[in-house]
């Protein structure tokens, strides 16, 4: 339905009315875009999880990439997982380990655990059980209770291949770690 109003008697008044309408439309559009832009960053990991659960891995990668490039550690960790396993993207251990490093340095427990496993396997990084232990120990320490027992089992599995001296080194590295550093 088109709304039609009687034209104003004064041409200047018609121009002012049109400018006012354009200004209202532009303001409304910018408010709408601003409202949509803010939650996209915060909601991108959730949207990616939904796409992943549906098996739409390409969409998950596409949704995760912008926030990961902006430094979102949750997006970096999940995108690292996608690259590590070749879901929606070619498998690339180097890219995965780099994304995990960034997430781990920011204190993301999942990123720390996955980086630990990469060190354990030597995928994308040199194989190093001491660093694997460090990152898995940090992940267990920073994880929510639902994840903590899983990360502890992973850490203990790595520890079963280590000497007491190596475990002590891994523990010391974990105690010395501060967010923002590898």
């Amino acid at each position: 339905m088109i709304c039609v109003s009687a034209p104003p008697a004064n041409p200047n008044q018609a121009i002012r009315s049109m400018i006012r309408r354009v200004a209202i439309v532009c303001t409304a559009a910018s408010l709408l875009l601003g409202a949509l832009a803010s939650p996209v960053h915060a909601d991108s990991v959730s949207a990616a999880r939904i796409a992943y659960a549906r098996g739409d891995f390409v969409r998950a990668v596409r949704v995760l990439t912008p926030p990961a490039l902006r430094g979102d550690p949750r997006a970096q960790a999940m995108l690292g997982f996608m690259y590590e396993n070749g879901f929606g993207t070619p498998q690339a251990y180097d890219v995965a380990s780099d994304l995990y490093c960034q997430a781990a340095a920011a204190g993301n427990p999942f990123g720390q655990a996955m980086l630990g496993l990469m060190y354990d396997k030597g995928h994308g990084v040199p194989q190093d059980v001491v660093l694997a232990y460090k990152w898995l120990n940090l992940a267990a320490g920073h994880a929510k209770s639902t994840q903590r027992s899983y990360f502890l089992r992973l850490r203990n599995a790595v520890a079963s291949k280590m000497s007491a001296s190596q475990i002590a080194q891994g523990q010391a590295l974990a105690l010395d770690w501060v967010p923002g550093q590898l």
Side-chain angles (χ1 to χ4, degrees):
M1 176 177 204
I2 299 174
C3 295
V4 180
S5 59
N10 184 346
N12 288 337
Q13 190 178 18
I15 292 172
R16 278 190 223 117
S17 176
M18 185 169 41
I19 290 172
R20 200 173 310 124
R21 276 190 230 130
V22 169
I24 290 170
V25 169
C26 288
T27 302
S30 67
L31 289 173
L32 179 62
L33 289 174
L36 292 175
S38 299
V40 168
H41 175 66
D43 197 42
S44 59
V45 174
S46 297
R49 284 188 178 140
I50 291 167
Y52 180 88
R54 286 192 315 243
D56 191 353
F57 303 134
V58 172
R59 177 166 172 68
V61 168
R62 195 171 46 241
V63 169
L64 288 168
T65 299
L69 291 173
R70 287 192 302 267
D72 182 325
R74 292 180 315 132
Q76 290 166 336
M78 189 170 177
L79 188 58
F81 181 81
M82 304 293 284
Y83 273 97
E84 179 184 3
N85 295 289
F87 293 146
T89 183
Q91 187 178 44
Y93 291 141
D94 291 344
V95 175
S97 63
D98 183 54
L99 287 162
Y100 288 151
C101 280
Q102 293 174 51
N108 179 274
F110 181 73
Q112 291 171 332
M114 295 301 101
L115 182 60
L117 292 176
M118 296 292 273
Y119 273 113
D120 181 49
K121 299 172 195 169
H123 289 173
V125 292
Q127 189 171 18
D128 187 329
V129 291
V130 173
L131 289 176
Y133 185 92
K134 166 195 169 180
W135 288 113
L136 289 165
N137 201 21
L138 285 167
H142 295 135
K144 295 178 182 172
S145 60
T146 54
Q147 295 176 317
R148 184 171 294 119
S149 63
Y150 177 66
F151 294 157
L152 286 171
R153 283 193 309 254
L154 293 173
R155 183 204 63 194
N156 294 340
V158 170
S160 71
K161 303 182 275 185
M162 299 170 67
S163 68
S165 171
Q166 288 174 315
I167 292 171
Q169 287 175 330
Q171 289 173 344
L173 288 173
L175 287 171
D176 291 341
W177 180 81
V178 292
Q181 73 173 180
L182 290 174

